[in-house]
Amino acid sequence: MKENNEGFSSIVGFIMVAIGLALGIGSLWRFPYVVGENGGAIFIFMYIAIILVIGIPLMTAEVTIGFKTQRTAIDAYKTLSPKTKWYYAGYLHTLAAILIVGYTSPIYAWILKYISLSLTGGFTGLNKDMIVSLFNDFNADKNMVYLFFMINLVLNAVVIIFGIQNGIERLSKILMPILFAIMAVIIFYAISLDTSGEGLRFLFSPDPSKFSIKSVITCLGQAFFALGLAMLGSMVFGSYIKQKDENIFKTSTIICSALVLAGIFAGMMILPIVFATGLTPGEGVSLTFLTLPNAFNVIPYGNVLAILFYFGFYIAAFTSSVGVLEAVTGQFSEKFNISRKKALLIAFIIVAAIAYVSVNNDAFFNFIDNVESNYILVIGVLLIAIFTGYVWGIEEAMDAANIKNKFIRTWMKVSIKYISPVVIIVIFISQFIKF
């Protein structure tokens, strides 16, 4: 449809939206902990190497599929390989996107709740046990959790209604600089604490005794999922790029570099505060919603830092969810040849229904989390690598991405055709092996 071809106003808009799409909660609440628990600096060097060798080429491939065809995922595959069934991969990417926004719904609710608590001084005077009780009591009120998520979903929809340029692009250009500014302020404060060195050592000191084969697998998984590969967004947003001579490899490199820095900054922001207050760093829910509120209660100006932290955390989560929902909207609009508003309404209803089940059924949440992370996304990334390397053709893909440099073309060819499929299969098999 003509309506779908609005596109980004500039490549900067694409970069900001793509960073916002990938910079979700995983980079902020998981990366710092897994670095410290898997060898510190050794893990970081491995992570950067994986991004360079595999991450950037795969992101380039995914974006280029949309960029070349100017179509969203399903029709993009049909355009590049019209006489095959490869378009089913587009359905898999769409399923991944719908599920990721729907089943993670409780997390958005928790963040919004903690923003309200930070603004009203709700953590003041609470000890560790009281903070645990506060979190558990809120999470037990399923109607309230769902209400908070629906607030997030409605805000997502409002942004998307304004269109690509005036909605998601404009918002990302505003929120991404704000997020990195918030991170910079908290980092500056965190490293000024007297005992911040312990937290920085946990993050950056190389510790070979903590690095193992399992650490490599963890690093591979973290890299793939931090980049948001095979979640529909990169491919759909690639179709929104209208600058025909744009070097997709260059833009993908900028995005991947920003995401690596964001993960490291998250560690520098969180861990010095945790260690300075004598607390033990955890992962995910424990770190973000149980440990940090205790830390903010102890340090000077902790109430202000709490507001900044949870607001910044919500920016990362919100730009990710609105990016995925926009991708689903674009896909539905093109696939069913309907207006964006109708496509958004369909996506809204489906996501809201999945969220309702996820909020009210912990077993469903855990099941979908396992299927999404360990099967749908891994298979989706593998399909992108195989399609680009062997079905569409790696030379055609590099020409479409406007890559001229011979070294980069060789790098892309080796990575996408040979290294990436092997690594992805290893990640898939590793979940069935006990190390």
Side-chain angles (χ1 to χ4, degrees):
M1 291 184 67
K2 194 172 183 178
E3 181 185 9
N4 288 340
N5 292 328
E6 174 189 345
F8 294 115
S9 64
S10 67
I11 199 63
V12 173
F14 164 74
I15 290 172
M16 289 296 180
V17 172
I19 292 173
L21 171 73
L23 184 58
I25 50 183
S27 293
L28 295 189
W29 80 359
R30 186 170 186 267
F31 184 80
Y33 179 77
V34 297
V35 168
E37 287 294 297
N38 289 279
I42 301 175
F43 187 93
I44 292 177
F45 287 133
M46 176 62 70
Y47 185 74
I48 292 172
I50 289 171
I51 295 293
L52 288 173
V53 175
I54 302 173
I56 294 174
L58 285 178
M59 176 169 280
T60 301
E62 183 171 355
V63 173
T64 302
I65 291 172
F67 175 67
K68 170 63 176 179
T69 61
Q70 293 293 290
R71 295 288 184 269
T72 56
I74 297 171
D75 284 349
Y77 282 109
K78 285 183 177 180
T79 301
L80 295 175
S81 186
K83 297 181 180 180
T84 69
K85 300 294 184 181
W86 269 95
Y87 63 88
Y88 282 115
Y91 286 104
L92 187 68
H93 303 329
T94 305
L95 176 63
I98 293 170
L99 289 177
I100 199 72
V101 179
Y103 91 88
T104 57
S105 50
I107 301 172
Y108 300 100
W110 298 337
I111 302 171
L112 285 173
K113 176 64 175 179
Y114 272 51
I115 290 175
S116 67
L117 289 170
S118 300
L119 290 170
T120 58
F123 299 122
T124 305
L126 301 184
N127 59 33
K128 180 179 179 180
D129 292 337
M130 294 168 72
I131 288 174
V132 171
S133 295
L134 183 150
F135 176 80
N136 289 337
D137 290 344
F138 173 68
N139 200 38
D141 189 348
K142 300 302 185 182
N143 290 333
M144 189 58 65
V145 172
Y146 188 68
L147 175 62
F148 270 83
F149 169 74
M150 289 304 295
I151 293 172
N152 173 74
L153 190 59
V154 169
L155 291 174
N156 282 193
V158 169
V159 173
I160 293 171
I161 286 174
F162 280 96
I164 299 166
Q165 292 183 16
N166 293 325
I168 186 173
E169 180 180 351
R170 177 174 293 179
L171 183 78
S172 297
K173 285 181 177 179
I174 295 171
L175 292 184
M176 283 298 100
I178 290 175
L179 173 58
F180 280 94
I182 289 173
M183 295 177 78
V185 169
I186 299 178
I187 289 171
F188 180 79
Y189 176 87
I191 62 177
S192 71
L193 296 171
D194 292 338
T195 54
S196 64
E198 190 175 353
L200 294 176
R201 281 191 294 273
F202 180 82
L203 183 65
F204 291 119
S205 295
D207 187 349
S209 66
K210 292 183 178 180
F211 194 79
S212 63
I213 295 177
K214 184 178 179 181
S215 300
V216 176
I217 300 300
T218 300
C219 191
L220 286 165
Q222 177 68 29
F224 278 6
F225 302 135
L227 297 180
L229 297 172
M231 291 188 194
L232 187 69
S234 294
M235 199 174 292
V236 172
F237 294 155
S239 74
Y240 294 167
I241 301 174
K242 304 304 175 184
Q243 295 77 14
K244 299 298 184 182
D245 60 346
E246 185 58 42
N247 187 320
I248 303 302
F249 173 84
K250 180 181 70 176
T251 58
S252 297
T253 301
I254 293 171
I255 294 164
C256 291
S257 300
L259 293 170
V260 170
L261 288 175
I264 295 173
F265 288 167
M268 295 176 66
M269 177 175 68
I270 294 170
L271 294 176
I273 293 175
V274 172
F275 278 96
T277 54
L279 298 171
T280 302
E283 181 180 357
V285 175
S286 174
L287 174 63
T288 310
F289 299 109
L290 302 180
T291 303
L292 280 174
N294 276 288
F296 290 138
N297 273 341
V298 175
I299 58 177
Y301 309 107
N303 58 327
V304 177
L305 287 174
I307 295 171
L308 288 175
F309 175 80
Y310 289 111
F311 180 64
F313 193 26
Y314 183 65
I315 289 176
F318 181 77
T319 53
S320 180
S321 65
V322 75
V324 177
L325 190 62
E326 163 60 42
V328 175
T329 299
Q331 177 63 82
F332 283 180
S333 180
E334 182 173 274
K335 174 61 181 174
F336 301 119
N337 195 31
I338 56 178
S339 69
R340 281 176 51 84
K341 289 183 178 179
K342 289 181 179 178
L344 174 59
L345 179 60
I346 295 171
F348 186 97
I349 292 171
I350 294 174
V351 170
I354 295 172
Y356 184 82
V357 179
S358 181
V359 166
N360 287 280
N361 191 319
D362 293 339
F364 176 84
F365 177 94
N366 294 328
F367 172 75
I368 296 299
D369 183 53
N370 177 59
V371 171
E372 176 87 346
S373 301
N374 296 323
Y375 296 92
I376 294 177
L377 293 179
V378 175
I379 294 171
V381 176
L382 179 61
L383 292 176
I384 290 171
I386 294 173
F387 180 82
T388 305
Y390 297 96
V391 180
W392 180 17
I394 192 65
E395 297 295 340
E396 289 80 1
M398 288 186 288
D399 288 341
N402 296 311
I403 300 173
K404 309 298 182 184
N405 184 279
K406 291 183 179 180
F407 172 77
I408 294 176
R409 290 177 74 97
T410 301
W411 167 15
M412 290 280 290
K413 180 177 181 178
V414 173
S415 174
I416 293 174
K417 292 191 69 173
Y418 307 111
I419 299 177
S420 296
V422 172
V423 168
I424 296 165
I425 291 171
V426 168
I427 292 177
F428 183 76
I429 295 175
S430 69
Q431 65 186 301
F432 305 108
I433 301 174
K434 291 184 178 180
F435 293 95

